[in-house]
Amino acid sequence: MSTAIEVRNVSKRYGDNLAVNDISFAVPTGSLCGFLGPNGAGKSTTIRMIMSIIYPDSGTILARGGSALDSKDRIGYLPEERGVYRKMRVGEFLRYISRLKGIDARSSAKLAEDWLERMDLPGVARKRCQELSKGMQQKVQFIATIMHDPELIILDEPFSGLDPVNANLLGRVIHELNEEGRTIIFSTHVLHQAEQICDRVLMINKGGIVLDDTMSGLRRTFDPRTILLRSSESVEGLTGAAGSIPGIIEIRAHEDEHTAEIVLEKTGDPMNRIPPELIARVSELTPVTALELRRPTLDDVFVALVGRSVSEAEENES
Amino acid sequence: MKHSSGLKKMTLIAWRDFRFTALTPAFLLGVVTVPILGLIGLLLYPILLSQATSKLEGTLLIVEGEDSIAPLVETILDEGGGGRLPRELQRALDEMPEGMMSLTGDGKGMLQIPTDIEIRTSQEVERLETFKTELRNGDFIAIAVIEDTLLQIPPPPTDDDVTTDREADDEHGMVTEASSMTLLIPSDSLPQHIAMLEQVLLESIVETRALKAGYDYDEIRRMIEMPPVEVLRMTEDGTESDRLRLRMIVPVLLMMLLWTVALTSGNYVLTTTIEEKSNKVMEVLLSAVSPTQLMAGKIFGQAAVAALMLVMFGGIIIVGLIALALGNILSVQLILLSLAYFVIAYFTIATVMAAIGSAVSELRDAQALMTPVIVVLMMPLVLYIPINNNPTSTLAVVTSMIPPLTPFVMPLRLAAAPEPLPAWEIITSLLIGVGSVVFLLWITSRIFRVGVLMQGKPPSPMELLRWMRYR
C-alpha cells in the first residue's frame, strides 16, 4: 500500500514551547484518517508542516512522495485559520480559488455551480461572502478546498462552527469523497465526529503521537468487554452479587437504577461472545430486558491512553 | 510548465487585486474626477479672479496738514480706481500664456474694484476722537491721517539706525525720520477695499512729494517703469523662449506626481495584504500559491493600479502643459526616464509596504513600522527646494545616489537642470535604483513568507531580522 503522507521524526519548537516532539506516522493512500487530540496538542502545526506552510526544525515530511509545494494543485487544504474575501461574490470567490489551483475558467464556473448545489447552497453564487452566515461561509470554504478534485484532502477542524445538520452533511460528503478514492486526513478535537466516519485514527497529545491505528484494530485493542444491561426492575441486587459471579470483574449501576455496566474478564474467545452461563446467572438476579456489548468510544480510548478526557486535557492546557 | 503555472497564478492574483482596488466605483470616481476637477479649476480660476469685487462707496475722510493730497486721490480714483497693479502681479500676468490671458480680459480686472467715493478733508487733528465716533457710526468708509512730514522727501537709509538729530532739514525738504500714514477703518471693512485705499493714498503721497520738490511725476513713473524681459534660451536646435517661473514649477510637479502615485499605490499593497491577513483568507491562498507568488502578484497588481493613476494624472498634466503652450518643457527623454524612475520608486515603496503588511495583523499596528518609512519618504519633499534651485549641486548629486531618494530626486533634477545631466549619473542612479529594488524584494520575500502566517502582536525590528534568517 502506498503512502499519501509520511512524517518522520519531525519536531517543531515555538520559543520555549515544543509544539511537536519527534513524531512519526504514515497515512496510506485511500484512507480516511482522523487526526485527533485536544486543542493545543500540535494538530494544526503538524498539518501546516505537511502543507509546507511552515517548516519543521528537524525531521522529514513527504506529501504525495515529495514536498507539498510541488503538488499544491493536487492537494486540497482547508486551514484552521480560514476566511473569505468579504466583498467578493461567492461564485467569484470559488472560481478565483479554483483557478489558482489550476482549473480553467470555464470548468471552474461549472464546478462552483455543481458544488454549491451538492453542499445545499443553491442560489448563493451571486451573494457577497459577507452576506452569508458563518456556517454557510464554512461550507463555501470547504467547496473551495475540494472543487479542483484533489487526490489528497487535508482538513483542519472541518466541523467546527457547523450545526449538527450541516456537520452531518459535511461528514457524508467527506465519506463520499473517500469512497471515490481520495485520501483524506482531517483533524478534530471532537472525537465522536471522527468515530462516525474515519477508518483510521491518529491521536496526538502534548506534541507527541499517542495512537496510530485503524478503527477495527483499535476496537480489538481497546475492548474493555463491557456489557450494558437493562432491567425492568432495580439492578441493586445485581451489583451486590458481583463477587459471586465467575468471569465478572465489576458491576456499576447507572443513576436510573435500571441500567448496569458489567465489566468482564478477558476470555480469549476470538468471537467476543458473552458467556451463556453468565447470561443465565444474571437473569436469575434481575429481569433482563436488553443486553449489549458496549463498544469503546474514542473518548474512552483517549482516557485509557492519556489518563484523562480530551476536555480535561484542554482545560489543563489553557 | 511549472514556471508558466506560477506566472499564471501570479497574474490571477495581480488581476484580482487590480480589479478590487481600481475597478471600484469609489476609485474610478476619484481617479477620473480629480483630474477633471483640476482641469476645470485651472480654467475657471482666472475667470473667478477677473470677477470684480464688491463696490466700495461712501465718504473717505482725509485728516491732513497744510499740504493736501485730496485732489490727487480724487484724480487717481477717477482714472480707474484700483490703481496700478503691483509690479509682481503684473509680471506674473505678463508670463501667463495667451490662452489664459484672454479669459481674464486684460488681466487688470483682477484688482478692479468699482468705487463711488466722496472725499472730505479736515485739518482739525484735535477732532480725531469725534471723527472716530462718526466712523464707528458708519459715516465714513475710512479716515486717513496724513502728517505733513509724510509729504516731505524721506531721508536716505543710513548704516546707523539710531537717529539722534530729529530736526527736519528744511533746506532740502527732508526729514530725518520717516513717519507713517494712519488709516482708520470700520471693523467690517473688506481686505481688498483696504488694500485699494492704501494703494491710492500712498500713490497720492508719493506724487505729492514729487510735485512739492518740483519734479514731473509722470516722467518719474515712466523712468522707473521696468521694461519687460524676454528670456531666450539658446539651445542646439535654435532659440526658444523660456517662461522661467512656470518652468520652475514643472520639475516639482513631476516629482510630486511620481511621489503621490507611488505612495498611494504602495499603500494599497499594505492595506490589501493586511486585509487578507485579518479576514483569514491568507492561508487559503497559501494552499494554492507560494508566499513569493502571492507577494509578486500583489505588487504587480497594484503596479497596474499605479499605471492607471499615472496615465490619468500625468496625462492631464501633459495636456495642461501643451494647452498652456509649455509642451516644449517636456522631452520624450524626460518622460521615458521619469517612467523608469517611477518604476523604481513604485517597487521600492510597494516592497516595503508588502513587508510591513505581512508582518502586522491590523492596520493600526502598521503605524509603528510605517513611521521610519514615512520619514524617509518625506525627505524628497524637504529637499526639493535646494535641489530644484541648483540641480547640479553636490547635495543634488549625492541625494540622487541614495537608494530610497534616487527615483524622486533624479526626475526632479532631470526636469530642473538647464543642461542635460551627465550620462554616468543617469546610468549609475538607475543601477543603484534597480539594485536596491532587487535587494528589497529579497528581504521582503523573506519577511513576507513568515509574516503572513503570524497573528497577534506586531513584531519588533529584531524579530523581523530573525524572520529573515528562518529557513
Side-chain angles (χ1 to χ4, degrees):
Chain A
M1 193 187 280
S2 62
T3 50
I5 296 170
E6 197 175 345
V7 174
R8 259 182 269 147
N9 305 105
V10 165
S11 295
K12 178 77 183 174
R13 180 182 285 281
Y14 290 117
D16 293 336
N17 176 29
L18 190 58
V20 170
N21 184 11
D22 192 29
I23 60 169
S24 299
F25 62 85
V27 177
T29 304
S31 61
L32 174 47
C33 176
F35 191 33
L36 318 174
N39 285 329
K43 300 189 297 292
S44 291
T45 304
T46 307
I47 285 180
R48 282 171 156 194
M49 286 192 288
I50 294 171
M51 284 306 297
S52 290
I53 283 172
I54 52 175
Y55 295 91
D57 297 336
S58 60
T60 32
I61 296 177
L62 297 176
R64 296 184 75 248
S67 163
L69 293 179
D70 298 330
S71 47
K72 280 200 162 170
D73 294 350
R74 301 308 309 136
I75 301 177
Y77 168 52
L78 178 70
E80 187 189 20
E81 291 278 354
R82 50 187 168 241
V84 286
Y85 286 106
R86 296 170 48 74
K87 295 261 188 297
M88 238 174 167
R89 294 185 194 283
V90 172
E92 203 173 15
F93 173 73
L94 290 175
R95 288 197 297 278
Y96 175 58
I97 299 290
S98 65
R99 290 199 64 199
L100 281 182
K101 289 174 178 175
I103 303 288
D104 63 83
R106 191 178 305 169
S107 317
S108 71
K110 175 86 176 72
L111 278 169
E113 204 179 304
D114 291 350
W115 269 105
L116 284 171
E117 199 74 36
R118 189 167 169 186
M119 288 305 289
D120 200 17
L121 289 170
V124 303
R126 295 283 306 153
K127 284 194 175 163
R128 290 190 195 280
C129 291
Q130 61 186 6
E131 294 168 32
L132 302 188
S133 71
K134 215 170 162 222
M136 287 163 100
Q137 282 187 17
Q138 180 114 332
K139 291 202 282 182
V140 169
Q141 287 149 358
F142 176 74
I143 297 175
T145 307
I146 46 91
M147 70 185 278
H148 63 296
D149 194 17
E151 292 163 24
L152 173 60
I153 299 171
I154 299 175
L155 310 168
D156 200 350
E157 297 281 358
F159 297 102
S160 75
L162 286 182
D163 60 50
V165 176
N166 281 313
N168 267 337
L169 171 67
L170 185 65
R172 204 171 62 234
V173 174
I174 289 174
H175 200 258
E176 286 166 9
L177 287 168
N178 177 244
E179 303 255 283
E180 289 164 20
R182 293 172 190 89
T183 311
I184 300 174
I185 174 167
F186 71 95
S187 76
T188 180
H189 66 285
V190 186
L191 303 195
H192 72 86
Q193 283 167 340
E195 213 162 65
Q196 291 160 7
I197 53 173
C198 52
D199 60 20
R200 192 174 187 88
V201 167
L202 271 167
M203 263 187 202
I204 185 168
N205 187 44
K206 291 183 178 171
I209 297 285
V210 292
L211 175 79
D212 177 4
D213 205 348
T214 58
M215 276 305 274
S216 50
L218 197 72
R219 288 191 177 119
R220 275 197 301 275
T221 320
F222 291 90
D223 180 9
R225 296 196 57 75
T226 303
I227 293 170
L228 209 60
L229 175 144
R230 283 197 192 85
S231 165
S232 55
E233 289 171 16
S234 167
V235 292
E236 216 169 312
L238 189 65
T239 47
S244 65
I245 310 170
I248 288 183
I249 298 169
E250 188 191 359
I251 297 179
R252 290 189 294 259
H254 281 197
E255 274 181 17
D256 64 5
E257 294 186 353
H258 291 278
T259 315
E261 278 180 30
I262 305 171
V263 185
L264 307 180
E265 280 173 359
K266 262 195 181 310
T267 57
D269 176 7
M271 300 295 285
N272 271 342
R273 282 170 301 199
I274 302 170
E277 60 276 13
L278 187 136
I279 297 173
R281 182 82 180 89
V282 165
S283 304
E284 285 167 17
L285 293 165
T286 187
V288 177
T289 55
L291 202 61
E292 63 180 90
L293 198 58
R294 188 174 169 283
R295 297 247 176 222
T297 63
L298 287 176
D299 278 304
D300 297 333
V301 172
F302 189 84
V303 173
L305 287 168
V306 177
R308 57 186 171 183
S309 72
V310 168
S311 51
E312 280 168 356
E314 282 173 0
E315 267 169 38
N316 204 292
E317 200 62 36
S318 61
Chain B
M1 178 63 203
K2 210 178 131 192
H3 283 284
S4 72
S5 100
L7 197 65
K8 204 181 121 204
K9 288 180 177 186
M10 212 183 72
T11 316
L12 279 167
I13 292 165
W15 166 247
R16 196 213 79 91
D17 270 30
F18 175 77
R19 171 161 156 19
F20 279 85
T21 306
L23 304 185
T24 58
F27 182 89
L28 288 177
L29 206 67
V31 102
V32 172
T33 52
V34 168
I36 289 176
L37 285 177
L39 200 64
I40 291 173
L42 199 68
L43 293 174
L44 280 186
Y45 195 59
I47 299 173
L48 290 174
L49 269 184
S50 69
Q51 300 303 302
T53 42
S54 63
K55 194 173 179 182
L56 176 60
E57 46 189 340
T59 308
L60 168 67
L61 176 67
I62 302 174
V63 181
E64 50 192 357
E66 284 183 12
D67 297 314
S68 174
I69 63 162
L72 268 173
V73 172
E74 207 145 0
T75 316
I76 294 171
L77 282 172
D78 286 348
E79 272 175 5
R84 294 150 192 108
L85 289 174
R87 193 173 289 143
E88 274 303 305
L89 181 60
Q90 186 61 56
R91 248 168 198 276
L93 284 173
D94 286 346
E95 286 201 355
M96 276 174 87
E98 299 302 321
M100 275 175 86
M101 280 303 286
S102 63
L103 292 170
T104 66
D106 60 357
K108 293 196 175 174
M110 286 189 186
L111 278 189
Q112 208 86 43
I113 295 171
T115 53
D116 182 6
I117 297 174
E118 189 194 329
I119 293 173
R120 258 182 62 191
T121 57
S122 166
Q123 296 189 338
E124 301 162 278
V125 185
E126 62 281 0
R127 284 188 59 202
L128 197 56
E129 286 310 311
T130 324
F131 294 147
K132 281 182 185 171
T133 316
E134 288 174 19
L135 178 87
R136 286 196 187 93
N137 292 338
D139 295 348
F140 303 123
I141 50 167
I143 303 170
V145 185
I146 313 287
E147 288 177 39
D148 267 346
T149 49
L150 259 182
L151 300 176
Q152 290 168 4
I153 299 171
T158 55
D159 291 341
D160 188 7
D161 276 340
V162 187
T163 317
T164 45
D165 184 3
R166 293 177 64 89
E167 268 182 43
D169 184 341
D170 283 338
E171 199 185 338
H172 295 98
M174 294 200 322
V175 286
T176 49
E177 191 187 24
S179 52
S180 56
M181 172 184 87
T182 309
L183 188 63
L184 306 167
I185 51 165
S187 56
D188 57 353
S189 288
L190 295 174
Q192 61 266 43
H193 287 166
I194 303 158
M196 194 269 287
L197 284 177
E198 259 178 44
Q199 179 82 15
V200 172
L201 287 162
L202 288 175
E203 212 162 305
S204 308
I205 291 169
V206 174
E207 193 163 347
T208 308
R209 285 177 187 162
L211 289 173
K212 272 164 64 82
Y215 298 115
D216 178 348
Y217 186 64
D218 271 348
E219 201 174 52
I220 293 173
R221 197 150 67 194
R222 287 198 300 279
M223 215 186 294
I224 62 170
E225 183 71 46
M226 288 189 192
V229 184
E230 188 180 7
V231 181
L232 294 173
R233 192 175 287 275
M234 307 313 288
T235 62
E236 284 182 10
D237 308 335
T239 308
E240 59 182 56
S241 68
D242 191 347
R243 299 177 193 279
L244 277 175
R245 270 145 220 267
L246 277 168
R247 200 190 167 99
M248 280 170 71
I249 301 172
V250 171
V252 178
L253 217 59
L254 179 69
M255 191 197 75
M256 285 302 296
L257 173 74
L258 302 188
W259 190 85
T260 313
V261 173
L263 200 69
T264 311
S265 47
N267 202 42
Y268 284 129
V269 176
L270 176 86
T271 49
T272 57
T273 308
I274 295 177
E275 189 197 344
E276 278 162 4
K277 277 190 78 175
S278 66
N279 66 18
K280 312 242 193 280
V281 84
M282 189 57 91
E283 213 169 321
V284 177
L285 294 176
L286 291 183
S287 73
V289 300
S290 72
T292 313
Q293 285 166 341
L294 179 64
M295 181 190 81
K298 299 190 74 63
I299 291 176
F300 279 107
Q302 298 302 341
V305 177
L308 177 67
M309 282 197 278
L310 205 59
V311 167
M312 288 304 294
F313 296 137
I316 288 292
I317 290 179
I318 291 174
V319 168
L321 286 175
I322 291 171
L324 301 180
L326 286 165
N328 61 340
I329 290 177
L330 300 166
S331 65
V332 176
Q333 195 199 11
L334 176 63
I335 293 177
L336 288 180
L337 278 173
S338 299
L339 279 179
Y341 286 112
F342 175 75
V343 171
I344 294 171
Y346 168 75
F347 276 93
T348 304
I349 296 180
T351 44
V352 173
M353 295 293 195
I356 295 176
S358 72
V360 301
S361 311
E362 283 179 62
L363 199 52
R364 63 163 179 261
D365 293 338
Q367 298 307 326
L369 291 170
M370 287 283 287
T371 311
V373 178
I374 292 294
V375 168
V376 173
L377 287 178
M378 292 304 282
M379 299 270 287
L381 302 191
V382 179
L383 291 170
Y384 88 84
I385 297 173
I387 292 172
N388 195 22
N389 287 345
N390 190 356
T392 49
S393 65
T394 312
L395 173 77
V397 176
V398 169
T399 49
S400 65
M401 298 297 159
I402 299 173
L405 305 179
T406 305
F408 302 108
V409 174
M410 278 306 282
L412 177 67
R413 293 183 60 207
L414 283 168
E419 288 287 309
L421 295 180
W424 75 264
E425 282 190 24
I426 296 175
I427 293 167
T428 315
S429 66
L430 282 173
L431 287 177
I432 289 176
V434 171
S436 70
V437 166
V438 171
F439 178 66
L440 281 172
L441 270 172
W442 178 78
I443 290 185
T444 299
S445 68
R446 310 283 300 170
I447 293 178
F448 196 89
R449 82 212 149 98
V450 181
V452 285
L453 291 167
M454 294 287 175
Q455 293 285 346
K457 171 167 98 57
S460 67
M462 284 312 290
E463 272 171 292
L464 285 180
L465 280 178
R466 202 158 54 234
W467 290 2
M468 284 165 57
R469 291 203 303 269
Y470 282 168
R471 81 179 185 95

